Amino acid sequence: MHCGPLGRFLSLIITGMALSAAAAHAQQDTPLNLMPYPSSVQSGSGNLKIDSSFRISLTGYSEPRLERAAERFLRTLHRQTALLIAGKPSEVANATLVVHTDHASKEIQELGEDESYSLEVTPSGAKLTAATPLGTLHGFQTFLQLVHISPDGFVAPAVTIHDQPRFPWRGLMIDSARHFIPLDVLRRNIDGLEAVKMNVFHWHLSENQGFRVESKKFPKLHELGSDGLYYSQEEIHDLIEYARDRGIRVVPEFDVPGHSTAWFVGYPELASGGGPYSIERRWGVFDPAFDPTSEKTYKFLDTFFGEMAKLFPDHFFHVGGDEVNGKEWDANARIQQFKKDHGLKSNEELQSYFNKRLEPLVAKHGKSMVGWDEVLDPTLPKDIVIQSWRGPDGVAAAAKAGFRVLLSNGYYLDLGWSSARHYAVDPLSGPAANLTDEEKFRILGGESCMWAEYVNPENVDSRIWPRNAVIAERLWSPQQLTDPDSMHHRMEFLSTRMEWLGLTHKTYYRQMLQRIAGAGASPEELAALTTLANVVEPVKDYTREETATAEPTSATPLNRLVDAVPLESATVRHFNEQVEKFLASSCHDQVLATRLRKQLSYWKDNDAELQPLAQRSSLVKEVAASSQDLSTLGSIGLDALDFITKGQPAPADWKTQQLTTLDQIAKPKAQLLLMPTAAIQKLVEASAASPCVGSN
Amino acid sequence: MHCGPLGRFLSLIITGMALSAAAAHAQQDTPLNLMPYPSSVQSGSGNLKIDSSFRISLTGYSEPRLERAAERFLRTLHRQTALLIAGKPSEVANATLVVHTDHASKEIQELGEDESYSLEVTPSGAKLTAATPLGTLHGFQTFLQLVHISPDGFVAPAVTIHDQPRFPWRGLMIDSARHFIPLDVLRRNIDGLEAVKMNVFHWHLSENQGFRVESKKFPKLHELGSDGLYYSQEEIHDLIEYARDRGIRVVPEFDVPGHSTAWFVGYPELASGGGPYSIERRWGVFDPAFDPTSEKTYKFLDTFFGEMAKLFPDHFFHVGGDEVNGKEWDANARIQQFKKDHGLKSNEELQSYFNKRLEPLVAKHGKSMVGWDEVLDPTLPKDIVIQSWRGPDGVAAAAKAGFRVLLSNGYYLDLGWSSARHYAVDPLSGPAANLTDEEKFRILGGESCMWAEYVNPENVDSRIWPRNAVIAERLWSPQQLTDPDSMHHRMEFLSTRMEWLGLTHKTYYRQMLQRIAGAGASPEELAALTTLANVVEPVKDYTREETATAEPTSATPLNRLVDAVPLESATVRHFNEQVEKFLASSCHDQVLATRLRKQLSYWKDNDAELQPLAQRSSLVKEVAASSQDLSTLGSIGLDALDFITKGQPAPADWKTQQLTTLDQIAKPKAQLLLMPTAAIQKLVEASAASPCVGSN
């Protein structure tokens, strides 16, 4: 059954009511380290012991996918605990965890299927019940998150959980076109999606810089457009099966009419310019675009979509549609004439024409078309889905216009935002909060986006995780769950657990730092580099190109400190929290003062350890100035603390001088931002106030 | 051509002479971080720059294996540097590294083939020449070790190297029978062997605890003897190809007549006891043994060896032969009668009878038989090879008796010896030093052994690496190269590099400590656990069973601190060196005194950080006493330093009291040894001496 509007609407009301109560509970009380946090959690007393005798039993509806899921569950439990647990499901009588699945989910996973589950853990056993295998999969992940080491070995706490998602579309987009991302990297990230209960992998497969899918109809697409880096149809088929096993739909994106240089290397006749074309090596928005006036274009896309529609079974088919600069259209007299002949006043109208021609080609193969903001045109069929990326108002606008919509604005992982900032972005906040229930119902959920100018197989996991988990929680958990402290705590917890899935978001770091330092760096030197690395973040948003000394291309090695450090510094987040607390105590908290002094001294002395290494490694030399700045930050912070703890306000000219220095330090160097600067500035401000007050 | 005795003998003389000069040079001067160190190294001036324009060209003899090796070389260079280098060999005119291989090596790699190579690096380019692909493979590894980060980016220093191995058989044995070791783990360790120029992977495939090879002739061997954990013949074939690509022979071992319980689960009629048999779960030496008096045994082994001889193309075939306790033989009246009838006075003589029946079965399939010490019997054909494990005299005894021999005594990686201790073991030292040249010539080399009672896929890399690299150097490099400081320095360097091969000997550590601490441990708590972990080592030699609180079995999870810590503590090695230096300075070196004080204070304060975690995690609780001991060590060390630096000898009763405490601390706790204890004892002794002298 396809879940029609009325059914979904009723379910929204019911779910909405259930959530209000549950969310209020969750908001006040999130003692379990679960992420995304379930909609209803009731703690019991005692623990279920997890040891080698642990057994699982599958009852009710049965299918091979469930058996594979149970075996995978046991393997993950083994990795978490190293316990040697029998790897196969067992009889109910011997089972520690009894699983009951009621009935099958759809053969091809659909939007809006029942993903709910209940999990009851008592000291004597556990029970997981779900309507469909999708719920069972989610329940397995919750159980794994419950297992932890205790004074009595591994246990899961007694608890009763009822859980279901807030939104039916919870996705991650990975751009594997700008930098090719190998299948094993995709697989481990799909494992990550399963762990945080996301259910869509949006696969961005074509770009100016590469066409990544084998086409049997048009082999020059991948042969000439990919540098040999593409996925075979068999590999794609296998990845889709892999994702289906984990309750995840795979939505392909073939971006047209812009972002399409790589298509034209093999098929220049489809482009609006004269060609010839070669694979783009730079980053940015480029001129090449499909010719929307040529029937060849539609014939080609019809055949190509037909081939891809078979390869990708999902009901949704993404055609991109973003960022057409129109230059090739403007420069082509025939296209200009076409616009006049058809009364198309702008390139936007020309693109609308293109989309209207495109949509039936997608629909013909039984699919619903998805496109970025730019495809929004009220005259298009209401079956299409808009993915909103350009601003916070796009979601409401699309929903008002009658379209289904996904939020991605605010969820771009490549922009380097903090987890708290992503967490605060809600599909139903801002203008969307004022929509009617019917309009709200069109908001299907959202997708985080991992654009790949500066990611490769080595660092991509660290750009996705752990921040993606908080977006997953936003899309799954009750809206009222917003406390950033609880979120940060649970995110760190989950981040550690996710290593057991094979994600490399933590291990890559030391390895990249070691490469930067050189294999001959002493442990002390490597520690000094790590201290610096722990407090810098890459420049934010779209400033990486601006701040580059040479134009970056796809051939630029990603081996610098800016490529190695996480996009959010946990060290600085903790430091900021301590500074806030110290100031909020009106500078009276002596324990905190001591801790801050220790940290600041450490930073102050770090540069002396690092400079010898900067003389030996060009990749360290590049960040030597930041290291000196960190030392200065340490000194200024210590001076400010001294003024504060002595109770004597700092002189005004001292304050002015330090703030000038801090302004300089705040500027990016080697494309890195020294993140403690803002907190040090607060200390300086406070040191000059009399008496120190917990302002800011 | 099989390299006959005369050829090898001449080559030994010539190599020997060349080595004397080269080794003297190497001994004095090992400035390059190469391991194993080449036999001749002449430094040039300047550097060859390594950037994205790096190209390689293959000239001379050509085969697909060389092309794959070149591509693998480029992939590893990419991993080391992250430079985006074209992945395929190129034309000579554009090449940075020109490779010339003269002629093919044997279709099936043989003992004693020419593995020599020469490598010349200048600022304008590099040239690698080798007689056969085996030398080319070695030269690639040397080049990769030369590449490092400099103030001007990645470079390789100008140098001229001529290199060849000292011994023709340089192997690692992995026991994948006691704990099953998956193929991906074996593959990455074979990559490790290639990196250190070892050329034999000895695969221990059957044990009381498991039979790990698919047999089509006798399927009950793997079906009933492996818990489903075995290698298919196709997988084995692929692994052999994988190893051949890396210049490595694969020698299988099927251990008979003892160590054979797993065989008898499916085929009890082959055993000397009554059966039935089940897979052994405990560790140790057990009673089950083949019936050497039954013709069934020989018929079975003939067929089985025939099947395996086809599967494993190497000329050598290992039949084990170790540790038969004889109890099943003693208990079997028919076997006792057989001994009387054949005039066999002991079980040793019975086993000799067995071996004499076995050898023709091996020879029949064109193979040379290899066995452990116990198979040595002067009346056996001289074609067999003895692998000496029981004592330092075995090598000389076997060589004197006319057999070819491999040294493994002193190379058991599972015993937890230091790298320096392994490094000091030489196949031609001790009684072997006094052998005639002809006898010495029979000493083919050696093998390190990784027995698998306490290793699994998670920690096995750390038990092999980096210590195996120093055994590899012992077997490859000039005998005169013995300086432990140089060795340690280069070993650490190599250990870091080896991560780029995918070996997990470093990354596993933090992950295991995190599991022990729990995902909820604070960064400070995890750091405290790491500080403790960095200074303990598992109990040595064969004491792990003795010190266990419950009998360990193959079902015991390997998740404790004793399973996580490396078998050699680099931290303590550095600490010991500093204490030695300080004492050698007659306690005058104030810089060292300050450093020691810092380290000791750190240890003293660590316990306070760790105890809260011990309250929450049973796996930390287990080592809480060791943590307290470390704190005590810190205190005692600080007191001793105070006496020393004040120039006042410590009172005798203070000294006595501390030594008593240290005696207690020296005892294993939770199967761990607190390694700084010995150095602290030296400080205490010195503090009571007047004046402090650089003794010990």
Side-chain angles (χ1 to χ4, degrees):
Chain A
M1 181 201 77
H2 186 267
C3 187
L6 184 64
R8 277 270 338 274
F9 187 55
L10 281 173
S11 124
L12 187 79
I13 293 171
I14 296 161
T15 309
M17 290 190 305
L19 289 190
S20 310
H25 174 77
Q27 181 72 355
Q28 293 149 21
D29 180 25
T30 48
L32 296 174
N33 288 302
L34 301 174
M35 180 168 269
Y37 208 75
S39 52
S40 157
V41 175
Q42 199 164 359
S43 290
S45 70
N47 287 316
L48 172 65
K49 199 160 170 52
I50 311 288
D51 59 24
S52 308
S53 70
F54 186 91
R55 294 291 179 275
I56 183 171
S57 176
L58 298 179
T59 70
Y61 169 73
S62 158
E63 62 175 30
R65 175 168 63 159
L66 279 170
E67 279 158 40
R68 289 193 296 271
E71 288 175 26
R72 197 166 66 247
F73 166 83
L74 291 169
R75 275 202 303 278
T76 307
L77 189 58
H78 165 69
R79 278 200 296 266
Q80 275 186 220
T81 61
L83 293 169
L84 292 148
I85 298 166
K88 296 267 176 193
S90 151
E91 299 299 304
V92 174
N94 309 321
T96 324
L97 172 62
V98 177
V99 179
H100 185 86
T101 309
D102 191 70
H103 58 269
S105 60
K106 305 287 175 187
E107 192 56 40
I108 294 166
Q109 192 174 328
E110 285 180 12
L111 177 68
E113 290 197 63
D114 189 336
E115 300 182 74
S116 69
Y117 69 93
S118 294
L119 177 62
E120 192 184 359
V121 181
T122 72
S124 59
K127 217 173 124 179
L128 167 61
T129 53
T132 76
L134 301 176
T136 307
L137 292 170
H138 294 318
F140 277 148
Q141 294 304 318
T142 302
F143 189 92
L144 288 170
Q145 290 191 8
L146 288 172
V147 175
H148 68 276
I149 183 93
S150 82
D152 304 312
F154 291 97
V155 299
V159 70
T160 301
I161 288 171
H162 301 290
D163 201 10
Q164 71 281 311
R166 183 173 161 223
F167 293 104
W169 188 309
R170 307 174 306 281
L172 165 69
M173 188 217 74
I174 294 182
D175 165 13
S176 59
R178 285 182 174 80
H179 275 101
F180 182 71
I181 308 291
L183 287 159
D184 61 326
V185 180
L186 294 179
R187 277 194 294 267
R188 71 189 185 220
N189 277 285
I190 286 174
D191 290 343
L193 295 187
E194 183 188 25
V196 298
K197 303 184 172 63
M198 275 187 159
N199 64 358
V200 176
F201 169 47
H202 168 175
W203 201 354
H204 186 81
L205 285 161
S206 70
E207 261 304 336
N208 298 307
Q209 293 84 2
F211 189 96
R212 304 300 182 194
V213 174
E214 176 192 26
S215 169
K216 298 188 180 180
K217 300 279 186 193
F218 302 109
K220 284 189 282 180
L221 284 174
H222 65 276
E223 285 171 7
L224 300 183
S226 76
D227 298 306
L229 297 170
Y230 63 89
Y231 310 103
S232 74
Q233 295 206 356
E234 194 185 343
E235 288 170 336
I236 290 169
H237 174 80
D238 290 350
L239 192 86
I240 292 168
E241 288 292 301
Y242 187 91
R244 179 183 148 73
D245 254 18
R246 285 147 183 84
I248 292 163
R249 299 162 38 214
V250 176
V251 176
E253 178 186 353
F254 297 97
D255 203 346
V256 291
H259 285 280
S260 48
T261 311
W263 305 59
F264 304 144
V265 184
Y267 300 93
E269 64 274 21
L270 302 174
S272 305
Y277 294 89
S278 58
I279 294 174
E280 183 57 59
R281 305 294 169 189
R282 296 161 300 161
W283 309 129
V285 174
F286 297 95
D287 304 346
F290 276 83
D291 183 349
T293 71
S294 161
E295 287 309 309
K296 267 191 215 159
T297 293
Y298 301 106
K299 190 152 178 283
F300 179 94
L301 289 177
D302 185 17
T303 307
F304 176 72
F305 286 176
E307 184 184 14
M308 293 300 120
K310 281 206 193 73
L311 181 59
F312 293 91
D314 197 76
H315 178 68
F316 293 86
F317 193 90
H318 205 303
V319 297
D322 56 320
E323 296 187 315
V324 185
N325 71 13
K327 287 190 189 169
E328 275 199 352
W329 293 347
D330 293 341
N332 182 320
R334 198 170 32 74
I335 292 175
Q336 290 307 310
Q337 188 57 48
F338 183 92
K339 280 169 70 178
K340 271 185 209 148
D341 294 348
H342 290 72
L344 302 167
K345 287 184 217 69
S346 66
N347 284 337
E348 286 69 34
E349 289 189 12
L350 181 58
Q351 195 179 342
S352 272
Y353 166 83
F354 176 78
N355 287 332
K356 268 178 234 157
R357 294 289 310 269
L358 217 57
E359 195 279 336
L361 304 184
V362 174
K364 179 178 158 187
H365 301 292
K367 308 282 181 177
S368 289
M369 183 170 110
V370 188
W372 300 100
D373 270 343
E374 289 93 327
V375 306
L376 177 59
D377 173 340
T379 66
L380 274 170
K382 295 295 180 277
D383 181 57
I384 72 168
V385 175
I386 305 295
Q387 184 161 14
S388 175
W389 72 281
R390 288 188 299 188
D393 302 344
V395 166
K400 262 190 204 296
F403 294 101
R404 292 180 293 180
V405 59
L406 299 169
L407 178 63
S408 280
N409 179 264
Y411 294 154
Y412 271 29
L413 296 165
D414 53 311
L415 299 187
W417 293 13
S418 70
S419 48
R421 189 169 170 194
H422 284 308
Y423 195 55
V425 176
D426 192 292
L428 291 181
S429 66
N434 300 319
L435 294 175
T436 67
D437 283 349
E438 197 188 340
E439 287 162 351
K440 280 182 182 169
F441 176 64
R442 295 189 192 119
I443 300 173
L444 302 177
E447 283 186 0
S448 50
C449 295
M450 182 73 263
W451 298 105
E453 281 90 344
Y454 301 105
V455 303
N456 64 8
E458 189 170 38
N459 71 359
V460 64
D461 291 11
S462 75
R463 273 63 189 133
I464 297 174
W465 307 104
R467 293 177 307 145
N468 189 52
V470 315
I471 299 172
E473 171 156 299
R474 177 57 51 233
L475 298 172
W476 175 282
S477 302
Q479 183 172 14
Q480 295 85 336
L481 200 72
T482 55
D483 177 38
D485 288 343
S486 163
M487 177 277 283
H488 285 138
H489 180 75
R490 292 178 293 113
M491 178 183 77
E492 293 298 340
F493 218 90
L494 179 68
S495 183
T496 295
R497 288 179 180 282
M498 291 188 95
E499 283 203 85
W500 304 120
L501 299 177
L503 284 164
T504 62
H505 59 300
K506 287 180 171 242
T507 48
Y508 88 103
Y509 185 44
R510 193 181 47 75
Q511 292 182 10
M512 285 190 78
L513 293 183
Q514 186 81 61
R515 182 197 284 139
I516 289 167
S522 72
E524 293 75 18
E525 288 171 334
L526 188 63
L529 179 62
T530 306
T531 297
L532 175 62
N534 283 346
V535 297
V536 291
E537 291 179 10
V539 290
K540 303 290 165 187
D541 298 312
Y542 293 109
T543 57
R544 180 118 178 217
E545 274 95 48
E546 297 165 19
T547 55
T549 50
E551 184 177 11
T553 71
S554 53
T556 305
L558 300 181
N559 59 7
R560 300 161 59 216
L561 195 62
V562 67
D563 303 307
V565 296
L567 303 195
E568 180 177 21
S569 160
T571 303
V572 175
R573 191 172 65 231
H574 295 149
F575 179 74
N576 289 348
E577 285 164 6
Q578 292 183 343
V579 168
E580 294 287 347
K581 267 195 210 165
F582 175 68
L583 295 178
S585 79
S586 302
C587 307
H588 285 313
D589 190 328
Q590 290 311 303
V591 175
L592 272 178
T594 307
R595 256 195 243 164
L596 289 174
R597 192 169 279 116
K598 191 172 163 190
Q599 177 69 80
L600 291 163
S601 306
Y602 202 68
W603 287 343
K604 184 184 166 193
D605 298 339
N606 194 62
D607 186 51
E609 292 278 0
L610 193 63
Q611 287 305 330
L613 196 60
Q615 304 307 311
R616 302 205 306 277
S617 160
S618 58
L619 293 171
V620 178
K621 198 160 80 183
E622 190 197 18
V623 296
S626 296
S627 174
Q628 285 158 6
D629 283 352
L630 179 61
S631 179
T632 306
L633 278 191
S635 296
I636 296 176
L638 284 170
D639 288 348
L641 260 187
D642 277 349
F643 283 119
I644 290 171
T645 50
K646 281 178 191 148
Q648 292 180 332
D653 59 342
W654 179 86
K655 175 184 154 185
T656 309
Q657 207 180 340
Q658 307 316 311
L659 292 182
T660 308
T661 305
L662 291 175
D663 274 353
Q664 288 303 313
I665 289 178
K667 290 180 186 155
K669 294 192 176 72
Q671 307 192 287
L672 290 167
L673 299 168
L674 200 53
M675 297 308 290
T677 312
I680 300 295
Q681 186 172 332
K682 285 184 190 171
L683 284 175
V684 169
E685 305 272 9
S687 75
S690 169
C692 162
V693 284
S695 62
N696 282 292
Chain B
M1 182 201 78
H2 186 266
C3 187
L6 184 63
R8 278 267 344 269
F9 187 55
L10 281 174
S11 123
L12 187 80
I13 294 172
I14 295 161
T15 309
M17 290 190 305
L19 289 191
S20 312
H25 174 77
Q27 182 71 355
Q28 294 150 19
D29 179 24
T30 49
L32 296 175
N33 288 301
L34 301 175
M35 181 169 268
Y37 208 76
S39 53
S40 157
V41 175
Q42 197 165 0
S43 290
S45 70
N47 287 316
L48 172 65
K49 195 157 175 54
I50 312 288
D51 58 24
S52 307
S53 70
F54 186 92
R55 296 289 179 278
I56 182 173
S57 176
L58 298 179
T59 70
Y61 170 73
S62 159
E63 64 176 27
R65 175 169 64 159
L66 279 169
E67 279 157 40
R68 288 194 296 272
E71 288 174 26
R72 196 165 67 248
F73 167 83
L74 290 170
R75 275 201 304 277
T76 306
L77 189 57
H78 165 70
R79 279 200 296 266
Q80 276 187 216
T81 61
L83 293 169
L84 292 147
I85 297 166
K88 295 266 174 192
S90 150
E91 300 298 305
V92 174
N94 310 320
T96 325
L97 172 62
V98 177
V99 180
H100 185 85
T101 309
D102 190 69
H103 58 269
S105 61
K106 305 287 177 189
E107 192 56 39
I108 295 167
Q109 191 174 329
E110 284 182 12
L111 177 68
E113 289 197 64
D114 189 336
E115 301 182 74
S116 68
Y117 70 93
S118 294
L119 177 62
E120 191 185 0
V121 181
T122 72
S124 58
K127 218 172 126 180
L128 166 62
T129 53
T132 77
L134 301 175
T136 307
L137 292 170
H138 294 317
F140 278 147
Q141 295 303 318
T142 301
F143 189 92
L144 287 170
Q145 290 191 9
L146 288 172
V147 175
H148 68 276
I149 183 93
S150 82
D152 304 311
F154 290 98
V155 298
V159 70
T160 302
I161 289 170
H162 300 290
D163 201 10
Q164 71 280 312
R166 182 173 162 222
F167 292 104
W169 187 309
R170 308 174 306 279
L172 165 69
M173 188 217 73
I174 295 181
D175 166 13
S176 58
R178 284 181 174 81
H179 275 100
F180 182 72
I181 307 290
L183 287 159
D184 61 325
V185 180
L186 295 180
R187 276 194 294 268
R188 70 189 185 219
N189 278 286
I190 286 174
D191 290 343
L193 296 186
E194 183 189 25
V196 298
K197 303 184 172 62
M198 276 186 157
N199 64 359
V200 176
F201 169 48
H202 168 175
W203 202 353
H204 186 79
L205 285 161
S206 71
E207 260 304 336
N208 297 307
Q209 294 83 2
F211 189 95
R212 303 301 183 192
V213 174
E214 176 193 26
S215 170
K216 298 188 180 182
K217 302 278 186 194
F218 302 109
K220 285 190 281 182
L221 283 172
H222 65 277
E223 284 170 8
L224 300 182
S226 76
D227 299 305
L229 297 170
Y230 64 89
Y231 310 102
S232 74
Q233 295 206 356
E234 193 185 344
E235 288 171 335
I236 290 169
H237 174 80
D238 289 350
L239 193 86
I240 293 168
E241 288 292 302
Y242 187 92
R244 179 183 147 72
D245 253 19
R246 287 149 182 81
I248 292 163
R249 298 163 39 215
V250 177
V251 176
E253 178 186 353
F254 297 96
D255 203 346
V256 291
H259 286 280
S260 47
T261 311
W263 306 59
F264 306 143
V265 184
Y267 300 93
E269 65 273 21
L270 304 174
S272 305
Y277 294 90
S278 59
I279 295 174
E280 182 59 57
R281 307 292 170 190
R282 296 162 299 162
W283 309 129
V285 174
F286 298 95
D287 304 347
F290 276 82
D291 183 347
T293 71
S294 161
E295 289 307 310
K296 268 191 216 158
T297 293
Y298 302 106
K299 191 155 177 279
F300 179 94
L301 289 176
D302 185 16
T303 307
F304 177 73
F305 286 177
E307 184 185 13
M308 292 300 121
K310 281 205 191 75
L311 180 60
F312 292 92
D314 198 77
H315 178 69
F316 293 87
F317 194 90
H318 204 303
V319 297
D322 54 322
E323 296 186 314
V324 185
N325 73 11
K327 288 190 189 168
E328 275 200 354
W329 293 347
D330 292 342
N332 183 321
R334 198 170 31 75
I335 292 175
Q336 291 305 311
Q337 189 55 50
F338 182 94
K339 279 169 72 179
K340 271 185 212 149
D341 294 349
H342 290 73
L344 301 168
K345 288 183 218 66
S346 66
N347 285 335
E348 286 68 34
E349 289 190 13
L350 181 57
Q351 193 178 344
S352 271
Y353 166 84
F354 175 77
N355 288 332
K356 268 179 231 154
R357 295 288 309 268
L358 216 57
E359 196 278 335
L361 303 184
V362 174
K364 178 180 159 187
H365 302 291
K367 309 281 182 177
S368 288
M369 184 169 109
V370 188
W372 300 101
D373 270 343
E374 289 93 326
V375 306
L376 178 58
D377 174 337
T379 66
L380 273 170
K382 295 294 180 278
D383 181 57
I384 73 166
V385 175
I386 305 294
Q387 182 161 15
S388 175
W389 72 280
R390 289 189 297 189
D393 302 343
V395 166
K400 264 190 202 297
F403 294 101
R404 291 179 295 179
V405 59
L406 298 169
L407 177 62
S408 281
N409 179 266
Y411 296 153
Y412 270 29
L413 296 166
D414 54 309
L415 299 187
W417 292 14
S418 70
S419 48
R421 189 168 171 195
H422 285 306
Y423 195 56
V425 176
D426 192 291
L428 291 181
S429 67
N434 302 319
L435 294 175
T436 66
D437 283 347
E438 196 187 343
E439 287 162 351
K440 281 183 180 167
F441 175 65
R442 296 189 191 118
I443 300 173
L444 302 177
E447 283 187 1
S448 49
C449 295
M450 182 71 265
W451 297 106
E453 281 90 345
Y454 301 105
V455 302
N456 64 8
E458 189 169 38
N459 70 359
V460 65
D461 291 12
S462 75
R463 274 61 189 133
I464 298 174
W465 306 103
R467 293 177 307 145
N468 188 53
V470 315
I471 299 171
E473 172 155 299
R474 177 56 52 233
L475 298 172
W476 175 283
S477 302
Q479 183 172 14
Q480 295 87 335
L481 201 72
T482 54
D483 176 39
D485 289 343
S486 163
M487 177 276 283
H488 284 138
H489 180 75
R490 292 178 294 111
M491 178 183 76
E492 293 297 343
F493 218 91
L494 180 68
S495 183
T496 295
R497 290 179 179 283
M498 291 188 95
E499 284 204 85
W500 303 121
L501 299 178
L503 284 164
T504 62
H505 60 300
K506 287 181 169 240
T507 49
Y508 89 104
Y509 184 44
R510 193 181 47 75
Q511 292 182 11
M512 286 190 78
L513 293 184
Q514 185 82 61
R515 182 198 285 139
I516 289 166
S522 72
E524 293 75 18
E525 287 170 335
L526 188 63
L529 179 62
T530 306
T531 297
L532 175 63
N534 283 346
V535 297
V536 291
E537 291 178 10
V539 290
K540 304 290 164 188
D541 298 315
Y542 293 108
T543 57
R544 180 119 177 216
E545 273 95 51
E546 296 166 19
T547 54
T549 50
E551 184 176 10
T553 72
S554 53
T556 305
L558 299 180
N559 59 8
R560 298 161 61 216
L561 196 62
V562 66
D563 302 307
V565 297
L567 303 194
E568 179 177 22
S569 160
T571 303
V572 175
R573 191 172 66 230
H574 296 148
F575 179 73
N576 288 348
E577 285 164 6
Q578 291 183 344
V579 168
E580 294 288 347
K581 267 194 211 166
F582 175 69
L583 295 177
S585 78
S586 300
C587 307
H588 285 314
D589 190 327
Q590 289 311 304
V591 175
L592 273 177
T594 306
R595 258 194 241 164
L596 290 174
R597 193 170 280 117
K598 192 173 164 190
Q599 177 71 78
L600 291 163
S601 306
Y602 202 68
W603 288 342
K604 184 183 167 196
D605 298 340
N606 194 62
D607 187 49
E609 292 278 1
L610 193 64
Q611 287 305 330
L613 196 60
Q615 303 308 310
R616 302 204 307 276
S617 161
S618 57
L619 293 170
V620 177
K621 198 160 81 184
E622 188 197 20
V623 297
S626 296
S627 174
Q628 286 158 7
D629 283 353
L630 179 61
S631 180
T632 307
L633 278 192
S635 296
I636 296 175
L638 283 170
D639 289 348
L641 260 189
D642 276 350
F643 283 120
I644 290 171
T645 49
K646 279 178 193 149
Q648 293 182 332
D653 58 344
W654 180 86
K655 175 184 154 183
T656 310
Q657 205 179 340
Q658 307 317 311
L659 293 181
T660 308
T661 306
L662 291 175
D663 274 353
Q664 288 304 312
I665 290 178
K667 288 180 186 155
K669 295 192 176 71
Q671 305 191 290
L672 290 167
L673 300 168
L674 200 53
M675 299 307 291
T677 312
I680 301 294
Q681 185 171 333
K682 286 184 188 170
L683 285 175
V684 168
E685 305 271 9
S687 75
S690 171
C692 162
V693 283
S695 63
N696 283 291

